[in-house]
Structure formats: structure tokens, C-alpha cells
Amino acid sequence: MTIGEYTQVYRGKKVVDFKMGGSAVAGDVAYRLMQEYDSDESQEELLANFFEQVDPKSIEVLVIGAWDEASSDGPQGLIDGLIARRAELGNLKALFVGDMTYEDCEMSWINQISYNPLLEAFPGLESLRIRGTSELELQPFTHASLQELAIESGGLPNEIVIAIANSTLPALRHLELWLGDDGYGFDGDVAVYQRLLLAIGPERLQYLGLRNAMISDELAVWLAGEPWLGTLQTLDLSLGTIGDVGAQALCESPNLGSLQRIDLSHHYISETWQQKLQALPCTVVLDDPEEEDDGDRYVAVSE
């Protein structure tokens, strides 16, 4: 599986594309800034054209899609342009950077940048989603408003996880990390994520996503034993490699509490344990069952 479709709705708003020479559209929408490969305009010129057509003060949700040569350049011009207009963008609450398909750029190839300047410039930002971790930089930061942090990756480096663990995020309620495969940059283990959750205080989370993970069974065994598991609304282990070991741990966990939803889509769980999971007192999503390939399991998105 790869990312084959663009986001259609983000933060409750329909997403519409804006390309160079475009115009504003009617309605309460989220714009996705888009460049073609080898575009004539620079990132800065696209952003300037966008704000000629759309009032910055009206922007609450913004998506940055494919930018020119995403496999070799990050979105620096676009992000710098947003920072330069931060006084006009006081209503910006949610930003998604990297909403592109494999036809634009495979996820593991998407070049990113440092996000600390953006986070410092927008203290009112409530949601940040980043796709791709090549060249991604994140240092420990303090942000009083950030409620949702999501990083989609084919291979999440430990240094990013450690930076989040060492950050101060009192409003955080949704944490979503795509761990990926060790052939594409993942270098973690369960202990790293145990330290992360201990540091951020999991009892305040509504959603925890440790997705697209090659260590899904190990994560499930650990999480099943945590008393705070039942304080979540949603546990999302989808896109990974969970099998019967993880399924059994979740089925036998005494800590499900008021957990409402467990997403295990893209899994390697036998029919027997699928039936047992479906008997749990919460919604369990078991879409996209997979078969092992000569004993090997694969995450949904690596390259």
C-alpha cells in the first residue's frame, strides 16, 4: 500500500486545491496549496498569489500539498512565507504539510525541514500534521495550544520521538505517530515509546496512534498492561503488523476501561482471534486482513 489519494476533508472542512493563478472559492473550505513537478513559480510566488486571492485573516485550516521537487527540496519557502505573515494569520488553527500521493512523491522521499520556527511563530496553532521525515528536524519545544500532533512516516527516527518526549504540550489530546520500517529509517523499540508516553502523561490523551509499525505486537502487549489504556477514547494500531500475539494481549487486558475504539486495520490476525476481538465491549476495526509472505509481515506504508 502507498498513499494513493489526497485528503478530501481536513478538520471538518472540504479540501480544495489552489494552484498558481487560481481563485478563491465560495464556502467554508480548507485550501491545499499545490505545485506541479518542475513548476515555473517558486514556493514564495505561489504563496503570494494565494494571499492575493484569499484573505489571510479568513484562514483557519491550511493544507500544503505537493511542492516542486519534494524529493530533493523541503517546503521552506512556503513555511517561511507563513511565518512572515503570522500577524495576518492569527486565526490559523490547523496545518497539514505534505498531503501528496505516491505519484507526487513516495512518503519516504518527502523532504521536510525544521518545524520549531513555525511552532514558535504560531502559539495559537492547535493541530500540526506532517507527512514525511526525510530531513525532518524537531527540537524540544513548549506550546500551550497544540492539541493534535501527527507525523506520518515510512520510518520514524528516534530523535524525533525523543524531541516530543522532551517537549511541554499541556493541551495535547491527539498523538499520532507512524513508526514505519527499519529499512526506511525506523530505529526504535518499545522502550522508546514507553518513555515517550510516560513523559507526556497518557491519561490526558483521547487518541493514541502508534500506526504503521513493524513492532505492533510488542506495542500491543505493552499497552494492554497499562492501567491508563482505558482512559483513551481511541487506540489506533492500524497499518502495522499486529498478529495473534498482540490480539491476545488486547483481548485479555484488564485495562480497557472506557476505551471506545481499537483500530487494527491492515493486520495479520487469525480468524479465531478476530472473533474474540469483536466480542470486546468496544468497537474493533479489523479491515484489510493480510497474509504473511513466507513468514514475513509488512507495514502498510514504507517507501
Side-chain angles (χ1 to χ4, degrees):
M1 172 183 160
T2 54
I3 304 295
E5 297 182 353
Y6 298 112
T7 300
Q8 301 299 309
V9 177
Y10 182 54
R11 302 286 288 186
K13 298 179 185 288
K14 179 183 177 182
V15 179
V16 297
D17 290 343
F18 185 97
K19 298 181 180 180
M20 191 69 179
S23 301
V25 300
D28 186 18
V29 300
Y31 288 96
R32 176 171 42 232
L33 303 181
M34 296 281 287
Q35 285 185 299
E36 302 291 344
Y37 178 77
D38 204 21
S39 296
D40 290 332
E41 80 277 356
S42 67
Q43 294 181 21
E44 292 86 351
E45 289 169 337
L46 172 62
L47 195 63
N49 179 232
F50 175 63
F51 286 128
E52 287 173 0
Q53 301 296 321
V54 180
D55 181 3
K57 295 183 176 62
S58 71
I59 301 297
E60 298 178 357
V61 177
L62 184 64
V63 179
I64 294 177
W67 53 87
D68 183 30
E69 300 186 5
S71 63
S72 58
D73 298 321
Q76 194 69 63
L78 290 162
I79 298 302
D80 285 348
L82 294 177
I83 293 172
R85 289 179 175 265
R86 59 187 178 275
E88 303 169 78
L89 288 164
N91 292 319
L92 180 63
K93 299 299 182 185
L95 179 65
F96 178 6
V97 184
D99 183 23
M100 58 187 83
T101 72
Y102 71 92
E103 292 183 335
D104 300 312
C105 186
E106 296 283 6
M107 186 160 66
S108 66
W109 300 0
I110 299 173
N111 260 262
Q112 285 288 354
I113 58 174
S114 171
Y115 278 83
N116 289 84
L118 175 89
L119 289 159
E120 182 176 353
F122 290 93
L125 194 68
E126 296 177 357
S127 174
L128 176 62
R129 177 175 291 269
I130 300 166
R131 178 173 293 164
T133 53
S134 179
E135 305 300 326
L136 176 66
E137 295 182 19
L138 191 66
Q139 303 299 321
F141 63 98
T142 297
H143 200 290
S145 301
L146 197 66
Q147 299 173 16
E148 177 179 3
L149 177 61
I151 301 177
E152 302 180 12
S153 171
L156 185 63
N158 273 352
E159 60 189 21
I160 299 299
V161 182
I162 293 169
I164 298 169
N166 291 329
S167 296
T168 302
L169 305 170
L172 191 68
R173 298 294 179 267
H174 177 120
L175 178 63
E176 179 180 346
L177 302 175
W178 294 30
L179 282 60
D181 185 271
D182 58 11
Y184 291 89
F186 172 69
D187 56 358
D189 56 20
V190 172
V192 172
Y193 293 89
Q194 289 173 334
R195 291 195 293 272
L196 168 66
L197 270 296
L198 180 63
I200 66 173
E203 298 85 355
R204 60 196 176 90
L205 294 179
Q206 297 175 351
Y207 171 102
L208 174 62
L210 299 176
R211 308 180 68 193
N212 200 46
M214 63 181 295
I215 58 169
S216 297
D217 271 332
E218 295 94 323
L219 291 170
V221 170
W222 156 52
L223 291 165
E226 291 295 327
W228 51 260
L229 177 63
T231 66
L232 298 172
Q233 292 180 5
T234 299
L235 173 65
D236 191 344
L237 299 177
S238 64
L239 307 181
T241 60
I242 192 168
D244 287 359
V245 170
Q248 180 175 355
L250 292 171
C251 283
E252 296 177 354
S253 173
N255 299 313
L256 297 184
S258 58
L259 188 64
Q260 299 174 15
R261 179 183 176 91
I262 303 174
D263 193 339
L264 304 177
S265 302
H266 187 277
H267 63 84
Y268 294 81
I269 302 170
S270 67
E271 290 286 347
T272 298
W273 282 105
Q274 287 185 57
Q275 292 176 10
K276 293 180 180 180
L277 284 164
Q278 289 169 337
L280 291 175
C282 61
T283 299
V284 181
V285 183
L286 291 164
D287 297 340
D288 302 323
E290 302 290 327
E291 296 289 339
E292 291 187 356
D293 182 5
D294 290 330
D296 293 326
R297 301 179 189 176
Y298 300 96
V299 298
V301 184
S302 53
E303 184 177 15

